[in-house]
Amino acid sequence: MNRIVIAFLMCFLSSLVVNTYAAEPRQEPTEKERARTVYIFHQPIVMLQAKFGLTTPEERVLRIRNTLRNFTEADVREPLQVVSVTRYNQPGRLIVMNGKPVMLLTQGDLDEGDDLTLDQAARRVLARMEAQRSALSDQYNSGWLALSAVKTVAGLVGLVLFWFGAYRSWRWVRRVYRRRIFENKSWIPQSWRRFIGAIETRLYALLMILLGIVALYVWLSWVFSLFPWTRVWGESLGDWSVRVVRDFALSIVSALPGLMIVLIIFLITAFILKLLKVVLNQVEAGRLQLPGIHPETVGATRKLISVVVWLFALSAAYPFLPGANSLAFKGISVFFGLMLTLGSAGVMNHAMSGLVLIYSRALRKGDMIRVADNEGLVSEIGMLATKIITRENYVVTVPNAVVVSGKITNLSAQSTNGGVNLTVGVTIGYDTPWRQVHAMLELAAKRAKGIDLSQPPLVRQLSLMDWYISYELQVRLLPDVSLADARNELHSNIQDVFNEFNVQIMSPNFVLQPENSVMVAKENWYTAPATPPEGGK
């Protein structure tokens, strides 16, 4: 038993150090001060500063430690007392246990800043040491140890029951969300319920795990405090948790002013963007005109201004973010900067090409264009690519860099009413009068559907070839008429008209003039499986 008492007394005075100031402990001592502060179970008891001859405060602490090592269990059961003595020609107070001296407190150990007399300081030190001694004495009682063991088992049972209840509650929550999904009784849409329900159940499971860990931590701290050999660990766990909660709360409080400034910056930014959106909407609707901004460029301008304003706001708010000056934030900034540098070369090329397309107004949404081998309607001009709907109703996505670097033919650029110019070509032999060809092509255009006849068809002779003349017919289509459908209609009528007037179309090329005209007789226009239209001839 004596060995147990000595071992516990070693824990009793572990961290035995003295502060340079005086009898009253300091709340946040420095390392040098901590080296002179007396602790019992990590609780500061007294701070010494008097030097007796060649004996330093540190040596006085070592002597106190050696004295406590010789105490027995019987000594610990006796209360501490204060005895007035005179040492080294100055009054002092000697703290004794069972008649054995423990430590000497003199006038030289006091600090004027504490504003205490020697007796007041001695009584405070005695009260702190007596509280620790009483707890130590009570815990060495056999009945106390047995009760502590029972409390430990009861606490363990309660902990296991808490864990089991947390697990059962998680299973109940999971069943409830599954039933809500099946019965569709939730206020959240069914399409979202499947995903949000899974997230909620996992969040609840995470909450139960955290509560289980906290419960285990509280149980360990409580159990360690019940036994004399582990009480130091229990108090250490308690002090650590209190310190963590305190530091966390202080961090939150200290971060509130910066967060308020960040919130104000973001609110001002949102307000500015709201005003800009109202102004740009007026420009897009044509009710307001601003230099350099056109209705078709409003969408891209709004995105650019939003990006620039938010980047400026983020730059202004960054210094006020909690931990903005920490190495972690700096490392993240370097990482994202490196990723943007390495990955944005091609993206920026397409993005800048998209800006060129938008602000040069070479293309607009709804234009009929021809780019490389693609002809169709522009459905979207994005920052990175342009989407075209072809005659096959395919959506072709062309990178903006490819669009800018290639040849763009805009069939709708000169149209004011939404119609598109359509040109078709035929090759006719020299034996056919060109005036007749002009008239037949104009007749075919008048018969075709979807042609805007308010603008007369235009026929041109493009070239005089070796065997034939190349003619071109240009017509204007009505708004919202498909280019592919109109071309098919016009080709069909050209063949019909040329067949009616017995004029041969010289395509494909002929090397020799045939003896008979190559044409389709009118009675064979609807050879099976073709059928004539109802009422047609």
Side-chain angles (χ1 to χ4, degrees):
M1 181 64 71
N2 290 338
R3 293 182 177 179
I4 296 176
V5 174
I6 292 173
F8 191 76
L9 285 175
M10 290 297 296
C11 295
F12 190 80
L13 288 177
S14 62
S15 305
L16 225 174
V17 277
V18 179
N19 194 315
T20 58
Y21 286 101
E24 280 302 294
R26 299 298 180 225
Q27 295 297 325
E28 297 182 358
T30 63
E31 291 299 326
K32 185 176 180 181
E33 295 167 353
R34 190 182 300 275
R36 295 183 176 183
T37 302
V38 177
Y39 289 93
I40 297 179
F41 292 142
H42 297 277
Q43 297 297 324
I45 302 299
V46 64
M47 293 172 284
L48 307 176
Q49 68 176 7
K51 181 178 180 182
F52 302 142
L54 298 178
T55 305
T56 63
E58 289 82 2
E59 291 176 342
R60 292 175 60 194
V61 169
L62 293 176
R63 290 182 181 181
I64 295 172
R65 179 184 299 177
N66 292 331
T67 300
L68 291 173
R69 285 177 179 175
N70 296 324
F71 286 142
T72 63
E73 181 181 352
D75 294 330
V76 174
R77 295 186 183 279
E78 297 296 329
L80 293 164
Q81 295 178 350
V82 177
V83 179
S84 299
V85 296
T86 301
R87 293 287 190 274
Y88 309 102
N89 296 324
Q90 57 179 318
R93 298 296 181 267
L94 182 64
I95 300 177
V96 297
M97 180 190 297
N98 197 20
K100 299 178 182 179
V102 178
M103 87 170 51
L104 175 64
L105 188 65
T106 65
Q107 192 70 32
D109 290 316
L110 301 183
D111 182 19
E112 294 180 358
D114 293 334
D115 196 18
L116 295 174
T117 64
L118 181 60
D119 289 333
Q120 291 174 339
R123 283 195 295 269
R124 291 192 178 188
V125 174
L126 178 66
R128 295 173 188 139
M129 295 186 66
E130 182 63 23
Q132 301 299 331
R133 186 207 61 80
S134 299
L136 178 62
S137 178
D138 292 341
Q139 292 177 10
Y140 269 107
N141 187 285
S142 301
W144 175 270
L145 294 177
L147 180 61
S148 298
V150 173
K151 290 180 180 179
T152 300
V153 175
L156 180 60
V157 172
L159 178 64
V160 173
L161 291 177
F162 177 80
W163 286 348
F164 181 74
Y167 173 73
R168 295 288 297 179
S169 67
W170 171 74
R171 294 190 61 182
W172 177 81
V173 168
R174 186 175 62 176
R175 287 197 302 271
V176 167
Y177 281 115
R178 287 181 176 178
R179 185 168 62 251
R180 287 183 178 181
I181 294 173
F182 180 75
E183 298 176 355
N184 194 16
K185 292 184 177 180
S186 175
W187 59 272
I188 299 177
Q190 181 72 6
S191 58
W192 293 7
R193 178 77 269 172
R194 298 180 180 275
F195 303 100
I196 296 178
I199 295 175
E200 289 172 338
T201 54
R202 284 171 171 78
L203 289 177
Y204 185 81
L206 180 61
L207 176 62
M208 292 298 101
I209 292 174
L210 292 177
L211 290 178
I213 294 175
V214 171
L216 176 63
Y217 181 88
V218 172
W219 178 78
L220 287 175
S221 179
W222 176 66
V223 169
F224 286 156
S225 65
L226 295 177
F227 299 94
W229 305 280
T230 57
R231 185 178 180 186
V232 175
W233 299 345
E235 294 189 359
S236 298
L237 289 175
D239 294 342
W240 180 82
S241 61
V242 171
R243 185 168 60 255
V244 169
V245 173
R246 181 192 63 190
D247 294 343
F248 184 73
L250 291 176
S251 299
I252 293 177
V253 173
S254 62
L256 287 179
L259 292 177
M260 288 298 298
I261 295 176
V262 171
L263 179 61
I264 292 173
I265 292 175
F266 285 165
L267 289 177
I268 294 175
T269 303
F271 178 73
I272 293 174
L273 291 177
K274 189 69 175 179
L275 291 179
L276 290 174
K277 182 179 180 181
V278 173
V279 174
L280 293 176
N281 286 342
Q282 296 297 317
V283 175
E284 188 175 18
R287 292 187 289 269
L288 180 65
Q289 293 183 354
L290 294 177
I293 301 180
H294 303 277
E296 58 268 20
T297 63
V298 166
T301 304
R302 184 187 296 116
K303 294 178 182 178
L304 285 176
I305 293 177
S306 299
V307 171
V308 172
V309 172
W310 277 116
L311 287 177
F312 180 79
L314 183 60
S315 301
Y318 179 82
F320 300 99
L321 293 174
N325 295 324
S326 63
L327 295 177
F329 260 77
K330 294 178 182 178
I332 293 174
S333 301
V334 173
F335 173 76
F336 278 106
L338 181 62
M339 294 298 294
L340 288 175
T341 302
L342 295 177
S344 63
V347 174
M348 289 303 298
N349 183 23
H350 294 303
M352 295 306 296
S353 300
L355 294 178
V356 170
L357 288 175
I358 294 172
Y359 285 98
S360 65
R361 294 188 294 167
L363 300 178
R364 292 180 299 177
K365 183 178 179 180
D367 284 352
M368 183 65 66
I369 67 170
R370 185 180 297 120
V371 178
D373 296 332
N374 302 299
E375 180 183 83
L377 191 69
V378 177
S379 63
E380 179 182 347
I381 303 177
M383 293 298 296
L384 301 179
T386 300
K387 294 185 178 180
I388 303 172
I389 301 178
T390 65
R391 64 176 180 271
E392 300 92 347
N393 205 27
Y394 297 157
V395 178
V396 179
T397 302
V398 184
N400 286 333
V402 176
V403 177
V404 172
S405 62
K407 176 183 176 182
I408 305 174
T409 303
N410 193 332
L411 305 179
S412 306
Q414 300 299 323
S415 175
T416 57
N417 61 353
V420 178
N421 288 336
L422 173 62
T423 58
V424 296
V426 292
T427 53
I428 307 299
Y430 285 96
D431 56 344
T432 304
W434 64 267
R435 294 177 181 84
Q436 182 186 16
V437 175
H438 281 224
M440 288 189 294
L441 290 176
E442 292 173 357
L443 178 61
K446 293 177 181 179
R447 289 182 179 181
K449 298 178 181 178
I451 306 299
D452 185 4
L453 298 180
S454 63
Q455 182 172 342
L458 179 62
V459 180
R460 302 184 182 93
Q461 298 183 43
L462 297 182
S463 61
L464 303 177
M465 310 298 292
D466 292 339
W467 309 102
Y468 46 74
I469 303 172
S470 177
Y471 295 88
E472 180 185 76
L473 171 63
Q474 178 179 322
V475 295
R476 172 64 61 85
L477 303 183
L478 293 173
D480 301 327
V481 173
S482 171
L483 185 64
D485 294 340
R487 183 182 288 114
N488 177 69
E489 177 76 12
L490 192 57
H491 284 167
S492 300
N493 281 276
I494 289 174
Q495 294 178 67
D496 290 346
V497 170
F498 276 70
N499 284 328
E500 286 181 13
F501 292 94
N502 296 322
V503 175
Q504 175 181 331
I505 297 177
M506 303 293 289
S507 299
N509 298 342
F510 288 92
V511 176
L512 295 176
Q513 183 73 19
E515 296 180 0
N516 298 320
S517 299
V518 180
M519 63 186 70
V520 179
K522 185 175 182 179
E523 58 271 15
N524 296 328
W525 284 3
Y526 300 103
T527 303
T531 57
E534 295 182 3
K537 294 182 179 180

